[in-house]
Amino acid sequence: MDKHFDALETRAAAEREAAYMAALPRLVAHARENTGAFAEILKDVDANTVSSRAALARLPVTRKHELLERQQARRAEDAFGGFSAIRRGPRMRRAYASPGPIYEPEGMADDYWRCARGLFAAGFRAGDLVHNAFSYHMTPGAFIMESGAFALGCTVFPAGVGQTEQQLQAIAELRPDGYTGTPSFLRILVEKARETGVDISSMRKAMTGGEALPPSLRDWFAQHGLDVYQSYATADLGLIAYETSAREGLVLDEGVIVEIVRPGTGDPVPEGEVGEVVVTTLNPDYPLIRFGTGDLSAILAGPCPSGRSNTRIKGWMGRADQTTKIRGMFVHPGQVADIARRFPEVRKARLVVSGEMANDMMTLKVEAGSAPQDLGARIGEAIREVTKLRGEVELVPPGSLPNDGKVIEDARSYK
């Protein structure tokens, strides 16, 4: 059995990077010429100069809330907010609605969401029958998995969500080889099958998404005869990363360029540091450039033991949007980053909010090297200037703040 989906997965890292950097200027030019949103966002950018990671990092990050705001502002003329390079008709197969609502287009390309590679890594092959329990209602989740299964030569049973008894009957009678859907619903199916005596033993593998898959739950599935893998995909971007048989993080898909940035900024963090996942997708139909997912993760060092040579991430590690209301004022990670940038001695900062509701206390913990005596006082003044709130400053040794991606920690008592 082939170990890899295609040769792209095992190409040399330098070859992959050269291909990405050659594609970037074309992508930027295409997005500027064919989408109203990026014509505005990148209006001052010379596409030919965006040919390195450093140049990419200088472009603005577009976060999900900004995409929604642009869509809302242009609902009457363009429900996609100027981000889609294709229009309704023969180039657009479907349109979807995600919570917000945010509307996403689907182009006509085979495996448009690039999910076949992840399914292959999870053991799916041509001829398999896939029990697809993602929702087929409005959102693209089911179609993301379905298009990848079709590209592999699989047959799909469109189970959707709910109706557990009917789904178990279909599994018992159709005998599918594998499952796609959330891990929580797969557990419901397994538990209900054990309770009712329905035979679902034909399903030996699964590709899950939409939720975290903790090791304890993976082990529980293994005890019940299921080899379960996780994927990381979004309605905007399709597949971003997928798990392999090595079970050591998630390998990035070949169709995306991923950066990990400090929450609230567009600044890439060092390898291993937790930050926000920012994705540039090489999709000419929906060319999102530096799209902030709002998810936290970190780069893992070294290649995957499965032989796939692309970068690995740790997987989903929480949400990056840590905006917090303090004494009636919203404080967001970008403000903390703004404060830290003003002082070259500051290596890392973390705002800790403590106390009880209506009696908030705000402390900015700062990692600093050789700190001048008045650094704390000057940082305190910057806190007041940026947030309009008073806060304490605590200087801590370099490396002492947790590596969890948190820029704002809400430690208040809500009793």
Side-chain angles (χ1 to χ4, degrees):
M1 181 181 292
D2 293 335
K3 291 183 178 181
H4 305 113
F5 177 72
D6 59 17
L8 294 179
E9 289 187 306
T10 56
R11 58 183 164 168
E15 179 186 352
R16 177 182 294 105
E17 190 69 6
Y20 284 160
M21 296 307 111
L24 262 178
R26 298 193 298 269
L27 180 73
V28 171
H30 171 79
R32 285 187 55 180
E33 293 166 9
N34 294 279
T35 73
F38 282 110
E40 181 178 340
I41 294 169
L42 304 177
K43 63 183 178 181
D44 298 324
V45 175
D46 179 354
N48 293 322
T49 65
V50 188
S51 57
S52 67
R53 293 270 176 171
L56 178 62
R58 288 193 288 270
L59 301 184
V61 173
T62 299
R63 292 187 164 84
K64 190 179 285 282
H65 71 89
E66 295 169 312
L67 186 150
L68 174 59
E69 289 165 3
R70 283 181 175 269
Q71 287 198 357
Q72 290 173 333
R74 299 189 59 186
R75 285 284 193 246
E77 55 187 292
D78 179 6
F80 301 108
F83 286 94
S84 176
I86 55 176
R87 303 294 179 263
R88 291 184 300 182
R91 292 181 60 196
M92 188 183 296
R93 179 179 283 118
R94 297 184 184 93
Y96 301 98
S98 296
I102 292 176
Y103 296 104
E104 300 100 6
E106 179 185 356
M108 300 300 293
D110 290 338
D111 194 17
Y112 175 83
W113 309 95
R114 308 175 319 280
C115 198
R117 185 173 284 109
L119 286 167
F120 189 94
F124 289 82
R125 297 294 184 271
D128 283 348
L129 175 60
V130 181
H131 186 92
N132 189 12
F134 279 109
S135 173
Y136 278 84
H137 181 63
M138 294 192 183
T139 59
F143 299 93
I144 290 174
M145 287 292 177
E146 186 176 270
S147 63
F150 288 160
L152 284 181
C154 300
T155 299
V156 174
F157 177 71
V161 297
Q163 299 178 309
T164 305
E165 291 80 6
Q166 291 181 354
Q167 293 215 28
L168 289 176
Q169 180 182 358
I171 294 170
E173 295 176 354
L174 284 172
R175 309 289 294 168
D177 301 278
Y179 165 96
T180 54
T182 62
S184 60
F185 188 64
L186 179 57
R187 178 159 189 160
I188 289 171
L189 290 174
V190 172
E191 289 177 336
K192 190 67 174 180
R194 288 173 57 82
E195 177 188 321
T196 58
V198 175
D199 180 12
I200 62 170
S201 60
S202 66
M203 288 200 313
R204 309 295 295 176
K205 55 199 172 192
M207 171 80 131
T208 63
E211 300 170 352
L213 178 66
S216 58
L217 183 54
R218 185 205 307 282
D219 293 344
W220 186 88
F221 284 131
Q223 293 166 9
H224 292 84
L226 280 159
D227 193 16
V228 180
Y229 292 76
Q230 59 184 319
S231 62
Y232 174 33
T234 73
D236 320 274
L237 301 159
L239 186 69
I240 298 172
Y242 56 96
E243 197 170 24
T244 75
S245 57
R247 308 291 194 184
E248 295 183 12
L250 276 65
V251 176
L252 296 181
D253 181 63
E254 299 294 326
V256 293
I257 300 172
V258 171
E259 304 164 272
I260 306 294
V261 309
R262 186 156 287 112
T265 77
D267 305 330
V269 300
E271 182 179 282
E273 186 171 327
V274 178
E276 181 184 6
V277 179
V278 169
V279 181
T280 297
T281 177
L282 305 176
N283 177 0
D285 294 342
Y286 199 44
L288 296 177
I289 297 171
R290 297 206 89 201
F291 183 73
T293 64
D295 295 325
L296 293 174
S297 194
I299 299 293
L300 285 174
C304 180
S306 70
R308 294 168 176 85
S309 56
N310 207 346
T311 302
R312 296 174 300 154
I313 59 175
K314 289 186 177 181
W316 187 82
M317 300 177 69
R319 293 292 293 168
D321 185 4
Q322 300 151 23
T323 299
T324 304
K325 202 169 192 178
I326 305 170
R327 301 175 211 152
M329 300 283 288
F330 283 106
V331 179
H332 55 81
Q335 292 174 301
V336 178
D338 184 15
I339 295 165
R341 282 196 202 98
R342 299 183 180 202
F343 304 95
E345 304 91 343
V346 174
R347 301 180 183 181
K348 192 174 181 179
R350 181 186 185 102
L351 188 68
V352 179
V353 189
S354 57
E356 298 180 355
M357 294 301 289
N359 186 28
D360 301 331
M361 292 179 285
M362 190 169 77
T363 302
L364 187 66
K365 296 188 176 184
V366 174
E367 289 186 9
S370 54
Q373 190 171 4
D374 65 342
L375 180 62
R378 290 190 290 120
I379 293 175
E381 292 173 2
I383 293 172
R384 288 193 297 274
E385 181 180 339
V386 172
T387 69
K388 314 305 179 190
L389 297 167
R390 291 182 178 274
E392 300 296 320
V393 177
E394 180 182 344
L395 302 180
V396 300
S400 60
L401 292 178
N403 179 24
D404 57 7
K406 284 189 178 180
V407 176
I408 300 176
E409 178 187 352
D410 192 343
R412 288 174 288 195
S413 172
Y414 290 89
K415 294 179 180 179

